[in-house]
């Protein structure tokens, strides 16, 4: 089955979650947005028709929706509770400016998608690679401009989502074993980062990464 | 081939060892197991590398696992680094057990992660699939992250956090690159299972689309370059190396950086083939190499902490290897040779500074003044290894650097030559001043004393002897292996 309109609905949702993520100071909302993004992005493989092996696609969907849509948000919410923060206070770049940056990133990605001759897997829409790339850029923006350690974990998950979409657009997915390995790595990475945030909050009484600067030179 | 089955035990052995470490009931026993099993595994790896040296490429699981000359050469380096570090770990943590800083829980965590990270590094070498190779590199980050903060202190947590975030995000770039490589091969019409197999891509490198391949290489260079500690993506490296327990620093510096560089080596023939052998990819690698050398030299001049000094020296040496690869020709061979020399020398330097650090209670070189009188073995180890690292003749590092210079002259790359010499001279002066002060200066702190065991002596003498030997005489089979490995990177003519 191929559903270009469904695929485009998914992509629009991804873009909207990106914007909401950047414009919100409440970390809880950010985490929910990342979860939603993970779920809709995870659905992509079954919406494509060039999939030779439907079983494989469904396995992937179940795996990535479970991990990115359910496990990650639960884990992050728990870390948030343990660390006792609820807001991103004074990010290095303000919310309005971040939103503008995200929109520019989207325009840049669309322009790049139209000029750069990337061999496209037949996915029925030309929007997928640009949206994936925008999501990667938004994730990087979150990592760089936010102060709380947990925001960096959120940014990392957004980058992962972006790469996932980008990968589906570019090659229509890589071998199953690789896909599973990547998923497992992402899971462990987020898990470890969660533990690290927890330890940092215990040791330092804060999770502000700009104050983790004792070692220099 | 008959010997192909051997690829399986070298992966399962460390996994079983990690499991065993979790079941033991005293930290001493765990350290004993780490030393014994680690050394045994290293011997096994050495034997496999020698098998490949004589029999040629081994492969199993329908070519998903492959060990050719390039990977088995790195396997040899890994074996030396891992075996020696496992033996040293016993010495290092025994000291901590004696001072109540290392309990059973620490021991189990260390043992399991130690073998786990070793497995990940070896799987990077064994995987022929470029996607799985990436998974292996990311796994090394994840498995070593908690080794870096084996002792939870504010500083080690800070180091671990930077390491985890910078390397995970950096390596994510490498995955984008990997996807782009797959995209550049779409026109070949490969089956999904073959898309990312290196041997397949290498066989038809000329037919990969150059546009996506170029873009891919930039992403790969940034991604794996972060993990290899190439400047300007090296920010995590000095912190992680200085805060990790010394055996971990040794393995990070002695092999993990090389594993990431190895990935770049795998992609060089692909990008060169796709872009028509014009040296496009190699120029980028050269550029990163030069930046790394200059930046490391600047930081070494103002360094006081012994472990940070060695960390920046690793940035410098990764830069030198990258320069060799970038220059191509004999430079590729010299870069590979330099990788082995650097790893042997750097682990010795870390062992020495780690032991001195335990005796003095600090890694500040100013406070270690007079170390040569107080601890002749580790003082000598540190001083001579620094001398070798900064390029003293006739040791092996000097010889391989000389070959890289020759490659630069041969290619008439005068800018590269000038920057190489200037940076090397700065490092020479900066590091020598620090090392002399540490070895013979006026004593500031009176250290604790500890007798050295026969294994400590063997580690120091063995490493120094090997470096001298490799500088004077390169055994023919090893030479042949390095040449074939260089040919793999240089692309088949």
């Amino acid at each position: 089955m191929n559903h270009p309109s469904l695929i485009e609905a998914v992509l629009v949702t991804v873009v909207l979650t990106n914007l909401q993520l950047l414009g919100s100071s409440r970390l809880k909302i950010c985490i929910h947005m990342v979860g939603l993004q993970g779920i809709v992005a995870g659905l992509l493989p079954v919406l494509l028709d060039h999939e030779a092996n439907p079983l494989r696609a469904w396995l992937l969907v179940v795996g990535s929706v479970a991990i990115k849509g359910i496990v990650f948000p639960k884990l992050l919410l728990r870390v948030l509770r343990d660390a006792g923060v609820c807001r991103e206070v004074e990010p290095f770049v303000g919310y309005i400016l971040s939103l503008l940056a995200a929109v520019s990133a989207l325009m840049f990605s669309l322009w790049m998608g139209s000029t750069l001759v990337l061999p496209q897997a037949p996915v029925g829409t030309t929007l997928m690679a640009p949206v994936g790339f925008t999501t990667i850029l938004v994730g990087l923006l979150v990592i760089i401009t936010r102060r709380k350690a947990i925001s960096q974990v959120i940014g990392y998950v957004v980058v992962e989502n972006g790469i996932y979409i980008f990968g589906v657009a570019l090659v229509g997915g890589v071998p199953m074993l690789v896909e599973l390995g990547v998923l497992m790595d992402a899971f462990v990475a987020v898990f470890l980062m969660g533990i690290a945030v927890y330890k940092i909050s215990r040791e330092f009484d804060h999770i502000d990464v700009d104050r983790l600067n004792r070692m220099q030179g | 081939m008959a010997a192909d089955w051997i690829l399986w035990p070298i992966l399962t052995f460390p996994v079983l060892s990690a499991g065993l470490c979790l079941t033991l009931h005293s930290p001493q026993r765990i350290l004993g197991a780490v030393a014994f099993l680690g050394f045994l595994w290293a011997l096994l790896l050495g034997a496999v590398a020698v098998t490949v040296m004589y029999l040629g490429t081994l492969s199993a699981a329908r070519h998903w696992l492959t060990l050719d000359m390039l990977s088995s050469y790195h396997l040899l380096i890994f074996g030396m680094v891992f075996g020696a570090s496992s033996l040293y770990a016993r010495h290092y943590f025994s000291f901590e057990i004696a001072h109540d800083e290392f309990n059973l829980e620490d021991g189990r965590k260390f043992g399991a992660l130690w073998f786990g990270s070793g497995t990940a590094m070896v799987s990077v070498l064994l995987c022929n699939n470029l996607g799985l190779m990436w998974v292996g590199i990311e796994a090394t980050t994840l498995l070593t992250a908690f080794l870096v903060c084996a002792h939870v202190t504010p500083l080690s947590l800070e180091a671990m956090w930077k390491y985890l975030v910078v390397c995970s995000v950096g390596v994510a770039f490498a995955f984008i690159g990997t996807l782009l490589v797959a995209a550049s091969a779409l026109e070949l019409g490969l089956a999904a299972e073959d898309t990312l197999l290196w041997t397949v891509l290498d066989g038809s490198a000329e037919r990969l689309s150059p546009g996506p391949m170029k873009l891919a290489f930039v992403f790969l260079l940034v991604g794996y370059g972060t993990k290899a500690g190439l400047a300007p993506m090296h920010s995590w490296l000095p912190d992680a190396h200085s805060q990790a327990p010394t055996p971990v620093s040794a393995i990070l510096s002695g092999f993990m950086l090389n594993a990431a560089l190895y990935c770049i080596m795998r992609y060089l023939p692909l990008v060169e083939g796709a872009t028509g052998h014009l040296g496009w990819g190699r120029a980028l690698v050269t550029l990163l190499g030069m930046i790394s050398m200059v930046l490391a030299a600047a930081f070494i001049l103002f360094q006081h902490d012994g472990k940070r000094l060695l960390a920046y020296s690793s940035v410098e040496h990764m830069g030198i290897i990258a320069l060799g690869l970038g220059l191509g020709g004999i430079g590729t061979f010299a870069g590979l040779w330099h990788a082995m020399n650097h790893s042997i020398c750097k682990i010795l330097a870390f062992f020495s500074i780690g032991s001195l650090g335990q005796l003095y209670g600090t890694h500040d070189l100013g406070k270690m003044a007079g170390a040569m009188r107080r601890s002749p073995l580790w003082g000598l180890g540190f001083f001579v290894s620094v001398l070798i690292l900064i390029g003293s003749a006739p040791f092996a590092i000097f010889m391989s650097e000389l070959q890289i210079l020759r490659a630069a002259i041969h290619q008439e790359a005068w800018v590269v030559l000038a920057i190489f010499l200037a940076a090397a001279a700065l490092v020479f002066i900066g590091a020598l001043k620090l090392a002399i002060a540490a070895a013979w200066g006026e004593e500031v702190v009176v250290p604790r004393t500890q007798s050295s065991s026969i294994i400590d002596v063997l580690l120091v003498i063995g490493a120094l002897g090997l470096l001298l030997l490799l500088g004077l005489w390169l055994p023919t089979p090893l030479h042949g292996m390095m040449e074939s490995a260089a040919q793999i990177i240089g692309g088949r003519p």
Side-chain angles (χ1 to χ4, degrees):
Chain A
M1 46 181 176
N2 193 1
H3 308 288
S5 54
L6 270 181
I7 292 177
E8 280 177 358
V10 163
L11 296 178
V12 170
T13 318
V14 169
V15 171
L16 290 178
T17 50
N18 281 337
L19 295 178
Q20 173 72 322
L21 194 81
L22 278 174
S24 173
S25 72
R26 291 192 55 198
L27 291 166
K28 219 175 202 171
I29 294 186
C30 295
I31 293 172
H32 286 309
M33 284 304 120
V34 172
L36 178 62
Q37 196 175 59
I39 292 176
V40 291
L43 291 175
L44 282 176
V46 280
L47 299 178
L48 306 171
D49 69 344
H50 69 276
E51 194 58 64
N53 183 354
L55 181 69
R56 168 186 176 280
W58 277 107
L59 263 177
L60 265 183
V61 168
V62 170
S64 60
V65 167
I67 286 184
K68 289 182 176 167
I70 298 165
V71 177
F72 281 178
K74 285 225 155 155
L75 194 92
L76 290 173
L77 286 173
R78 194 175 160 178
V79 172
L80 197 64
R81 211 175 52 231
D82 290 344
V85 275
C86 60
R87 276 176 193 278
E88 174 67 48
V89 189
E90 294 167 33
F92 301 119
V93 175
Y95 299 107
I96 307 291
L97 209 58
S98 312
L99 285 174
L100 281 177
V103 174
S104 335
L106 182 60
M107 289 189 329
F108 171 75
S109 309
L110 287 171
W111 170 78
M112 217 184 70
S114 62
T115 49
L116 204 70
V117 193
L118 285 180
Q120 293 266 343
V123 288
T125 168
T126 54
L127 285 178
M128 201 185 280
V131 168
F133 202 69
T134 311
T135 310
I136 294 171
L137 291 176
V138 167
L140 291 176
L141 194 68
V142 171
I143 292 172
I144 295 166
T145 62
R146 299 290 152 102
R147 213 180 277 269
K148 301 287 178 204
I150 192 150
S151 295
Q152 301 195 316
V153 187
I154 294 175
Y156 176 72
V157 180
V158 175
V159 171
E160 282 291 325
N161 285 342
I163 293 179
Y164 185 78
I165 299 170
F166 194 64
V168 174
L170 220 56
V171 282
V174 279
M176 181 79 177
L177 199 57
V178 177
E179 203 91 75
L180 289 180
V182 172
L183 200 60
M184 199 185 70
D185 270 352
F187 168 67
V188 178
V190 172
F191 187 70
L192 292 185
M193 286 182 196
I195 297 177
V197 173
Y198 175 67
K199 284 192 173 175
I200 288 173
S201 77
R202 257 196 348 192
E203 193 77 29
F204 290 83
D205 290 323
H206 67 77
I207 53 168
D208 296 353
V209 283
D210 59 318
R211 282 153 70 194
L212 294 181
N213 58 359
R214 295 206 201 168
M215 283 178 283
Q216 262 151 10
Chain B
M1 197 179 293
D4 289 339
W5 58 269
I6 206 166
L7 296 183
W8 294 108
I10 64 177
L11 279 179
T12 43
F13 184 90
V15 176
L16 295 177
S17 307
L20 182 74
C21 286
L22 289 174
T23 62
L24 294 174
H25 291 290
S26 88
Q28 281 93 349
R29 277 200 196 163
I30 294 175
L31 292 178
V34 164
F36 177 70
L37 294 172
F39 192 70
L40 206 63
W41 188 38
L43 286 182
L44 182 65
L45 294 177
V48 172
V50 172
T51 312
V52 174
M53 201 185 279
Y54 287 103
L55 294 184
T57 307
L58 302 177
S59 70
R62 287 187 290 157
H63 297 290
W64 278 55
L65 296 180
T66 298
L67 202 58
D68 63 3
M69 284 292 188
L70 181 59
S71 38
S72 57
Y73 175 68
H74 281 86
L75 200 67
L76 195 62
I77 300 180
F78 175 80
M80 291 198 254
V81 169
F82 194 84
S85 303
S86 299
L87 290 178
Y88 176 74
R90 183 156 178 236
H91 160 93
Y92 183 83
F93 288 115
S94 296
F95 185 92
E96 295 198 345
I97 292 173
H99 294 84
D100 277 334
E101 290 164 345
F102 193 78
N103 56 28
L104 177 61
E105 198 193 333
D106 292 333
R108 283 184 176 168
K109 195 173 84 176
F110 171 77
L113 289 175
W114 180 253
F115 282 109
S117 48
T119 318
M121 291 179 204
V122 168
S123 70
V124 170
L125 300 178
L126 279 178
C127 285
N128 187 23
N129 185 299
L130 295 172
L132 287 183
M133 187 170 91
W134 181 89
V135 172
I137 285 282
E138 174 71 10
T140 62
T141 310
L142 302 174
L143 288 163
T144 48
F146 276 81
L147 285 176
V148 168
C149 77
H151 299 300
V152 177
T153 63
L155 284 183
S156 73
L157 267 179
E158 182 184 326
M160 189 260 271
W161 176 254
K162 280 186 198 165
Y163 175 47
L164 199 53
V165 171
V166 174
C167 283
S168 296
V169 175
V171 168
F173 276 87
F175 192 69
I176 301 175
T178 311
L179 288 173
L180 285 164
V181 170
S184 77
L186 277 183
E187 283 170 21
L188 301 182
L190 300 170
E193 272 64 40
D194 296 343
T195 324
L196 282 172
L197 284 189
W198 183 85
T199 35
V200 174
L201 293 177
D202 188 49
S204 43
E206 273 77 15
R207 293 191 293 138
L208 300 172
S209 335
M213 192 64 214
K214 277 187 179 177
L215 194 60
F217 194 65
V218 173
F219 276 104
L220 290 164
L221 212 50
V222 171
Y224 289 130
T226 307
K227 185 82 184 174
L230 290 175
M233 294 87 72
H234 68 288
S235 60
W236 62 273
L237 191 149
D239 294 357
H241 282 54
S242 61
Q243 291 307 316
T246 303
V248 179
S249 317
I251 201 154
L252 292 185
S253 216
F255 193 75
M256 199 188 68
L257 304 179
N258 292 93
L261 265 188
Y262 162 86
C263 297
I264 295 177
M265 293 176 193
R266 280 283 170 205
Y267 284 105
L268 260 178
L270 302 187
V271 68
E272 284 300 316
T275 55
H277 298 286
L278 297 172
W280 183 87
R282 288 200 274 110
L284 286 182
V285 178
T286 312
L287 182 70
L288 278 188
M290 287 197 294
I291 298 175
S292 306
M293 282 198 77
V294 172
L295 224 126
F299 277 98
I300 283 175
L301 277 182
F302 302 102
Q303 212 46 251
H304 297 287
D305 184 298
K307 284 181 96 175
R308 290 182 83 85
L309 171 76
L310 295 180
Y312 278 110
S313 150
S314 293
V315 175
E316 187 216 351
H317 284 280
M318 287 305 125
I320 294 177
I321 299 168
L323 265 190
L325 294 175
L327 287 169
I330 188 166
T332 312
F333 171 83
L336 283 172
W337 187 18
H338 194 79
M340 175 178 275
N341 301 339
H342 166 253
S343 292
I344 299 174
C345 193
K346 189 50 70 63
I347 56 172
L348 173 62
F350 267 117
F351 295 168
S352 309
I353 195 85
S355 299
L356 290 177
Q358 284 185 325
L359 299 178
Y360 283 86
T362 172
H363 291 121
D364 190 327
L365 287 172
K367 294 193 177 136
M368 278 184 200
M372 197 69 111
R373 288 189 295 269
R374 288 291 179 172
S375 171
L377 178 71
W378 298 117
L380 179 84
F382 179 67
F383 186 69
V384 179
S385 59
V386 170
L387 271 189
I388 300 174
L389 280 173
I390 59 181
S392 307
F395 290 97
I397 286 189
F398 170 78
M399 302 309 276
S400 50
E401 287 182 356
L402 202 64
Q403 298 283 329
I404 293 177
L405 284 180
R406 265 186 56 200
I409 294 171
H410 183 72
Q411 314 247 327
E412 301 184 349
W414 305 121
V415 180
V416 176
L417 187 71
I419 287 181
F420 186 110
L421 289 175
L426 278 183
V427 171
F428 194 91
I429 297 165
L432 190 61
K433 198 180 72 189
L434 288 170
I436 288 179
W440 282 291
E442 281 297 318
E443 200 157 80
V444 195
V445 182
V446 179
R448 295 185 265 201
T449 48
Q450 188 196 26
S451 56
S452 354
S453 73
I454 183 79
I455 289 186
D456 301 341
V457 179
L458 281 179
L459 279 175
V460 175
I461 303 297
L464 290 180
L466 203 57
L467 285 165
L468 185 62
L469 185 76
L470 285 174
L472 297 176
W473 169 73
L474 205 53
T476 321
L478 187 62
H479 188 276
M481 185 179 213
M482 288 196 272
E483 268 195 339
S484 325
Q487 237 166 42
I488 292 175
I489 302 173
R492 289 174 190 80

